[in-house]
């Protein structure tokens, strides 16, 4: 255990601005992706716009990758992050499925559900 | 009653149970880690220091020793290094009991005077005044720094104590520390508290802390 | 003034009256918080301002304590307010609860007077017991700690006994009961003294972190669920299912997210990995809450339209506006401003700089102040029995100026913090001298200046807000009559 070392590399002063920007972009693109997919599926605008959502997802993935390079993460960590981005790809779809299904279920069986809990 | 079509994903009891399990699991993990951490951060004693056993938080008698902050190749960052004996207010053989009493007074004073609402300690607190984590080894208080000459004292601890008792007599910047009615004994305790804090292993925080003999490009 | 705190208009609903009493004190303390913040902001620019009379440490201490106390007041108020609606029974022990309210308010007054006039004590145990504990956010002296625990026990007993008495056990109340127990119990972790500063901060974070990044967030989820049902008629089952999912995600990430406070206080290195992993997950539930509020709003509006109803489904405009602002603010303040300095590689440079202050301002406002103010509007609507309450000029100015002011302060402090990171931390190595060099950089000073200006904007917004809270109910009542 004693030998497991994590070397904290130096960050150059010039690199900070980009690190802060890119980590902000990770979340901004993340929420933009979720919002575009949700709103498109709700029918606020055409399904074509979902492609824009996927573009946001791609940009988010790139930003996260770049962040991990900038803060000099270990290769293993970078791989883990990329796998989690694959998982995030499905989140808004899963999320919408959940909202829709729960709506269907509880709107229909309103009076049955009242007596539960 | 199309019950067979109802998915578990939209079931309230399912999510209630999952929430309870996840919360319980996270809490148990936190408690387990807490026990481990408490063991590692409990304060050492005089015997550890004499035997050279490294503790993350050394015993109070660490004030009898010279403390430096050096790069560790193994850890990849700076760590406090406890060196040879060094006099603290003219004395380098504080007993465990004496040192503990001094540290106790200093820590209590740091709370009663509300240090943390201007300064940061271990990086936590307010951001109006400098971080005190490694204040003891700050170059400003060394032989080459300005503070000894300003306070007319010849050792680091005496200069610090003098400053703490009459801070606005020794202004360094437009932003000054106010007089807080710190007595000579309390000042001594506070300096002991600061010296002890500088010996805590903070995983390399603050990074690249200024070295005493001009190794930074500070103005 | 005492009379204005007591006067209420609920027909015999004592629990809601008590809730309103808490709201009124909360808004007064919010005002005090802003004034103290303004003094501290001026002291950054003019260090001689009130020097050795009312020093930065005192202004700052009252600033953050007023914040914590007004939020706790508003939370207790909100709980007493929704208790009768969620249980359908007459709440138990409200008389005792009122006594508790006056005891707590008297204790808070004494503590604040001691903070302001006694300020500091000698380095003895007596100072810790009588004057201040000197630990950021929980400075209240030990006697007051014990008093707070007693009053909170009364409060918890009332809520718990009412919940047990009622045959209706809603998901909202179940989460509330469990979460309040954790919230109150955690306070005990901050009530002891130790000479070991690492140990001190270890337990101190148990209170601070497990409040603001776990139990308070879940409390917000509970209030949002209540408000969505109340304001736009969202379906209870859907809202409660999402509440459980939010609890899962918030506690799942928040409890171990504690690790990000244990990077540099003497604790072992394994907290780097734990802290980085779980705090990176912390924004996920915030995104979920954000999307969920917008979805429900859109859906209910759509249903109303399909039924041929015109106008908005929202029965309380200002409350809904503050709750939507909460969804944004929580994500921006806690999510973005939290995430970009939470990874250990970056945090070693940003820890203890104005970045933390920027994050603190936006997240306390975005995540907590917004929804609690929303609850106050719901309270006012109930107090005047108005079926609908619409935004008027004062409500709009109140919400716009406070949000704009806080956002402005946050951006200004972020710029100041960025300068501090570059010069004090990365280049000069965080010494005494490095600190002061960074404090005098032109960008840093300008950042502080804009912070003070935006602080004034926030204060003006607060005045509109306070006036609106006092008058909007009467106006809505008059319009409906």
């Amino acid at each position: 255990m004693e030998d497991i070392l994590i070397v904290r590399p130096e960050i150059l002063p010039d690199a900070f601005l980009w690190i802060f920007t890119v980590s902000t972009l990770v979340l901004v693109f993340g929420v933009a992706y979720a919002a575009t997919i949700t709103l498109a599926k709700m029918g606020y605008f055409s399904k074509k716009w979902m492609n824009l959502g996927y573009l946001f997802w791609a940009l988010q993935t790139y930003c996260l990758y770049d962040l991990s390079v900038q803060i000099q993460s270990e290769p293993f960590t970078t791989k883990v992050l990329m796998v989690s981005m694959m998982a995030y790809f499905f989140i808004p779809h899963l999320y919408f499925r959940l909202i829709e299904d729960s709506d269907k279920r509880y709107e229909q069986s309103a009076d049955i559900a009242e007596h539960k809990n | 009653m199309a019950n067979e079509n109802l998915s578990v994903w939209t079931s309230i009891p399912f999510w209630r149970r999952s929430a309870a399990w996840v919360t319980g699991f996270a809490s148990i993990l936190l408690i387990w880690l807490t026990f481990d951490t408490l063991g590692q951060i409990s304060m050492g004693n005089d015997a550890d220091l004499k035997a050279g056993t490294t503790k993350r938080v050394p015993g109070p008698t660490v004030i009898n020793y010279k403390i430096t902050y050096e790069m560790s190749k193994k850890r990849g960052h700076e760590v406090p290094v406890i060196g040879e004996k060094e006099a603290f207010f003219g004395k380098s053989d504080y007993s465990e009991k004496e040192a503990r009493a001094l540290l106790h007074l200093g820590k209590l004073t740091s709370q009663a005077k509300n240090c943390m609402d201007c300064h940061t300690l271990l990086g936590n607190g307010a951001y109006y005044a400098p971080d005190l984590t490694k204040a003891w080894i700050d170059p400003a208080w060394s032989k080459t720094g300005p503070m000894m000459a300003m306070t007319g004292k010849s050792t680091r601890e005496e200069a610090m104590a003098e400053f703490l008792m009459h801070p606005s007599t020794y202004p360094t910047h437009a932003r000054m520390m106010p007089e807080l009615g710190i007595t000579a004994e309390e000042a001594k305790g506070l300096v002991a508290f600061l010296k002890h804090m500088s010996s805590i292993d903070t995983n390399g925080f603050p990074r690249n802390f200024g070295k005493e003999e001009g190794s930074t490009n500070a103005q | 003034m005492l009379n204005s705190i007591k006067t209420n208009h609920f027909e015999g609903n004592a629990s809601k009256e008590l809730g309103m009493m808490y709201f009124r004190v909360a808004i007064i303390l919010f005002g005090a918080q802003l004034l103290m913040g303004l003094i501290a902001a001026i002291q950054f620019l003019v260090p001689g301002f009130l020097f050795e009379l009312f020093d930065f440490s005192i202004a700052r201490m009252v600033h953050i304590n007023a914040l914590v106390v007004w939020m706790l007041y508003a939370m207790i108020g909100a709980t007493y307010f929704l208790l009768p609606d969620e249980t359908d029974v007459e709440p138990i022990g409200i008389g005792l609860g009122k006594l508790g309210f006056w005891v707590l308010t008297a204790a808070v007054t004494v503590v604040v007077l001691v903070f302001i006039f006694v300020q500091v004590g000698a380095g003895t145990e007596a100072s810790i017991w009588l004057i201040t504990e000197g630990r950021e956010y929980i400075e209240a002296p030990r006697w007051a700690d014990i008093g707070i625990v007693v009053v909170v026990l009364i409060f918890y007993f009332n809520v718990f006994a009412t919940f047990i008495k009622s045959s209706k056990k809603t998901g909202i109340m179940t989460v509330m009961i469990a979460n309040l127990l954790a919230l109150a119990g955690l306070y005990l972790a901050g009530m002891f003294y130790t000479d070991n500063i690492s140990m001190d901060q270890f337990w101190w974070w148990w209170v601070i972190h497990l409040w603001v990044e776990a139990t308070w967030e879940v409390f917000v989820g509970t209030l949002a669920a209540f408000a969505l049902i109340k304001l736009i008629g969202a379906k209870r089952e859907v809202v409660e299912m999402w509440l459980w999912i939010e609890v899962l995600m918030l506690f799942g990430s928040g409890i171990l997210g504690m690790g990000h406070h244990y990077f540099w206080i003497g604790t072992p290195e394994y907290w780097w990995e734990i802290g980085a992993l779980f705090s990176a997950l912390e924004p996920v539930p915030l995104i979920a809450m954000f999307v969920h509020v917008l979805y429900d709003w859109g859906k209910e509006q759509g249903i109303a339209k399909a039924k041929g109803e015109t106008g908005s489904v929202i029965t309380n405009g200002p409350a809904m506006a503050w709750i939507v602002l909460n969804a944004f603010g929580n994500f921006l303040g806690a999510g973005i401003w939290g995430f970009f300095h939470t990874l250990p590689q970056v945090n070693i440079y940003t820890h203890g700089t104005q970045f933390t202050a920027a994050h603190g301002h936006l997240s306390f406002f975005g995540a907590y102040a917004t929804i609690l103010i929303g609850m106050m509007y719901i309270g006012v609507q109930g107090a005047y029995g108005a079926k609908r309450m619409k935004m008027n000029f004062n409500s709009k100015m109140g919400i716009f100026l406070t949000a704009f002011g806080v956002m402005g302060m946050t951006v200004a402090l972020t710029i100041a913090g960025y300068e501090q990171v570059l010069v004090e931390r990365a280049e000069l190595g965080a010494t005494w001298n490095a600190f002061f060099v960074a404090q005098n950089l032109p960008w840093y000073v300008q950042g502080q200046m804009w912070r003070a200006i935006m602080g004034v904007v926030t204060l003006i917004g607060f005045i509109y807000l306070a006036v609106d809270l006092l008058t909007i109910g009467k106006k809505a009542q008059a319009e409906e009559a």
Side-chain angles (χ1 to χ4, degrees), chain B residues 36 56 107 111 117 138 186, chain C residues 123 133 139 200 266 270 432:
Chain B
D36 184 77
R56 299 193 70 95
K107 173 73 179 359
Q111 289 182 223
D117 272 309
D138 196 296
E186 284 171 350
Chain C
E133 270 190 69
E139 282 98 341
D200 180 313
Y270 54 69
W432 179 290

Side-chain angles (χ1 to χ4, degrees), chain B residues 18-32, chain C residues 251-252 255-256 278:
Chain B
S18 307
W21 277 103
V22 168
T23 307
F25 186 69
S27 308
I28 287 168
L29 206 54
L30 177 68
I31 290 167
W32 180 65
Chain C
F251 277 149
I255 291 176
L256 287 165
F278 286 93

Side-chain angles (χ1 to χ4, degrees), chain C residues 449-477:
Chain C
M449 202 140 79
W450 278 103
R451 190 271 287 269
I453 293 169
M454 286 301 171
V456 175
V457 172
T458 312
L459 186 64
I460 298 170
F462 168 78
I463 294 168
Y464 277 108
L465 172 68
V467 170
D468 193 45
L469 281 169
L470 287 175
T471 55
I472 190 169
K474 213 167 267 174
K475 277 185 207 157
Q477 202 178 31

